[in-house]
Amino acid sequence: MLHIVNKSATDRGSLESCLRMATKGSAVLLIEDAVYAATTGNAAAAKIQAAAADLKIYALGPDLAARGMAGRVLDGVNVVDYGGFVDLVAEHSNCQSWL
Amino acid sequence: MSDMDEMEDGSGIVKKFMFLNRKAPHGTVYALEGLEVVLITAAFDQDVSMVFTDDGVYQLMKGIDSKGIEVKDFSKTYRALEGYDIEKLYVDQASMDARGLTEDDLIVDVTVLAVDEMANLMAEQDVVISF
Amino acid sequence: MQFGILVNEGPYSHQASDSAFLFARAALEKGYKVPRVFFYHDGVYNASRLATPPQDDRNVGARWSKLAADHGVDLVVCVAAAQRRGITDGVLGDNFRISGLGQLVEMGIQYDRLVTFGD
């Protein structure tokens, strides 16, 4: 399953809700304001790094770049473009947007 | 509602649809308009599960009285879901606990699931729509 | 593989419609099919042809119209949500049409994936 999160973890609880429900081996894609969680020094970074042990974590590159965060991505987070986003949806049998 | 009884996409395909309700009622429109999608989906004879997590559990509160805010009270619709053959209603135990709620506080009978049960249920769906 | 896309927010206030558009365009570029995009909640505002954003900004609604023209994408606006918000046939941009929620359910039944973009 692919989980898509679009809210900043320092503003809303949707990343936390997502990580709670994501089963081992599933993928989490951070888009829009959610990408801040995948950057060094963010309060949610430890949560992302812990989750990366059991989940595949992705962040949308154009959203990172648009926020000045392209150079601060955490180790273990895979950066994808919109084509990569499409591939992730295609590769997983279902997806859930944690709006 | 009579036109809804006859809806068919002609394919005969039955998929597992999960409607994941995560928002409280009234503050935003998502709970109300989400419920409208659920009713239509049931009219297509699909396998529908309704799940309430996070602030979504507040949608099911007994004793809702929205007269003072001059907004339609749609909470009674949850009690009519059975009539649409929507019988799979699930709430998340941790979300209830975090809000000091028990099943007795809710307007309909629900199945309370632990987080791992909820996660597995979500993973096995064909379509997940979240409001 | 066929993708259905659900857009739940209007243009400009949220990034949802932009993200959905860029996803749809990327999917089409990769050779996937995007037969329909469904606009619900405030997403119905994407369909208004009355929007006139500044010249140096993107025109979110017109961009959807062009994508539909170029790739045959069916742009469906929920009738109940549209009526609540004053979106009528008279204000629809090119290639948008108003129809029922059944069109959303059909995307879930008939297509391989349904991706939601919202707030």
Side-chain angles (χ1 to χ4, degrees):
Chain A
M1 183 164 193
L2 173 66
H3 298 268
I4 302 164
V5 181
N6 74 333
K7 295 297 184 318
S8 170
T10 41
D11 183 34
R12 310 265 197 103
S14 54
L15 176 65
E16 189 124 7
S17 297
C18 163
L19 294 179
R20 211 164 60 83
M21 293 272 179
T23 53
K24 195 170 177 168
S26 51
V28 176
L29 171 64
L30 308 174
I31 69 169
E32 301 177 2
D33 288 349
V35 298
Y36 290 116
T39 60
T40 53
N42 186 280
K47 232 174 268 174
I48 290 290
Q49 279 173 323
D54 285 337
L55 307 171
K56 281 162 283 182
I57 310 286
Y58 300 87
L60 195 60
D63 277 327
L64 283 161
R67 289 161 176 80
M69 291 288 160
R72 297 180 181 234
V73 182
L74 292 172
D75 288 344
V77 173
N78 308 286
V79 177
V80 295
D81 60 9
Y82 283 97
F85 183 174
V86 170
D87 290 336
L88 284 170
V89 173
E91 286 162 15
H92 295 85
S93 61
N94 59 1
C95 60
Q96 147 68 0
S97 297
W98 294 86
L99 304 175
Chain B
M1 294 293 175
S2 60
D3 57 325
M4 285 180 24
D5 298 335
E6 294 163 24
M7 281 188 178
E8 262 278 353
D9 79 319
S11 63
I13 298 169
V14 177
K15 283 194 177 177
K16 288 186 173 187
F17 277 77
M18 174 186 281
F19 292 96
L20 182 55
N21 295 275
R22 300 185 49 246
K23 306 278 172 80
H26 302 308
T28 59
V29 78
Y30 305 107
L32 168 63
E33 288 189 332
L35 198 48
E36 292 175 357
V37 182
V38 174
L39 297 178
I40 299 285
T41 306
F44 277 81
D45 292 329
Q46 299 297 301
D47 181 354
V48 174
S49 298
M50 262 189 110
V51 168
F52 299 85
T53 73
D54 300 309
D55 279 355
V57 299
Y58 284 134
Q59 293 179 26
L60 299 178
M61 287 299 293
K62 275 180 186 164
I64 283 179
D65 176 0
S66 59
K67 283 196 288 291
I69 60 169
E70 302 188 12
V71 172
K72 185 169 99 175
D73 173 16
F74 56 92
S75 69
K76 307 219 166 21
T77 309
Y78 297 107
R79 290 213 294 240
L81 290 172
E82 223 176 344
Y84 291 87
D85 292 326
I86 299 169
E87 286 158 356
K88 296 178 185 172
L89 302 183
Y90 303 99
V91 299
D92 170 46
Q93 178 77 62
S95 300
M96 296 281 281
D97 293 347
R99 289 157 184 81
L101 301 179
T102 68
E103 283 179 73
D104 289 342
D105 296 310
L106 306 183
I107 197 168
V108 282
D109 289 332
V110 295
T111 303
V112 181
L113 296 183
V115 63
D116 54 331
E117 297 172 301
M118 192 69 92
N120 290 332
L121 183 69
M122 190 185 302
E124 71 183 29
Q125 301 296 313
D126 295 308
V127 181
V128 183
I129 298 179
S130 182
F131 291 107
Chain C
M1 182 174 279
Q2 296 186 310
F3 292 100
I5 295 175
L6 171 61
V7 179
N8 286 340
E9 297 298 336
Y12 307 107
S13 291
H14 296 93
Q15 199 183 339
S17 187
D18 293 300
S19 296
F21 174 82
L22 295 170
F23 177 88
R25 194 176 66 185
L28 290 163
E29 280 168 0
K30 280 186 162 277
Y32 293 111
K33 294 195 168 63
V34 182
R36 182 181 296 155
V37 179
F38 192 87
F39 298 87
Y40 196 41
H41 303 302
D42 279 3
V44 300
Y45 289 124
N46 288 285
S48 173
R49 66 174 167 79
L50 302 180
T52 51
Q55 292 284 324
D56 62 348
D57 197 359
R58 73 231 184 269
N59 187 323
V60 173
R63 203 161 63 162
W64 280 116
S65 291
K66 185 169 186 313
L67 192 78
D70 293 347
H71 298 279
V73 182
D74 185 19
L75 304 178
V76 179
V77 179
C78 170
V79 60
Q83 283 175 342
R84 277 198 181 105
R85 294 166 176 85
I87 298 295
T88 62
D89 282 323
V91 303
L92 284 188
D94 291 343
N95 304 311
F96 284 93
R97 67 184 179 95
I98 294 178
S99 189
L101 274 173
Q103 302 277 303
L104 166 60
V105 180
E106 273 184 14
M107 295 201 308
I109 297 172
Q110 294 172 359
Y111 303 163
D112 303 288
R113 302 286 185 274
L114 179 63
V115 191
T116 305
F117 294 87
D119 177 32

